[in-house]
Amino acid sequence: MAKVTYYAVLPFIRNDEGDLVSGEAAEAPSAGAAKSRAAAAIGKYAGAIAFSRAGDPSLGDFEDAVVLARYGETPDDVALE
């Protein structure tokens, strides 16, 4: 299978202790859509990251994720796997 690029949004909330924790990532159809959805998440979430990840799903071989945009409060050390 050919290399494909996936786009996603990862929201963050504050837990009862006040720490930022990630929610469930949601796929988006394009980079622009991922950025728009991440920006729109502010107000419902503390913050959100729009990111992309490219690779060959048939081989399970993926490159590191690329952060496209950050909105609101997001951790600097988030692992996007």
Side-chain angles (χ1 to χ4, degrees):
M1 182 178 231
K3 182 177 171 181
V4 295
T5 301
Y6 294 99
Y7 301 97
V9 176
L10 183 63
F12 290 89
I13 60 169
R14 290 223 174 255
N15 65 14
D16 292 337
E17 291 78 35
D19 299 321
L20 281 173
V21 294
S22 63
E24 186 173 334
E27 196 169 335
S30 67
K35 289 177 186 179
S36 293
R37 291 177 185 182
I42 302 308
K44 183 176 180 183
Y45 299 100
I49 294 176
F51 68 97
S52 66
R53 193 155 185 227
D56 186 337
S58 66
L59 298 175
D61 184 28
F62 287 91
E63 299 171 6
D64 290 340
V66 175
V67 174
L68 303 172
R70 292 175 180 267
Y71 299 93
E73 299 177 71
T74 62
D76 292 328
D77 61 347
V78 65
L80 300 169
E81 298 180 14

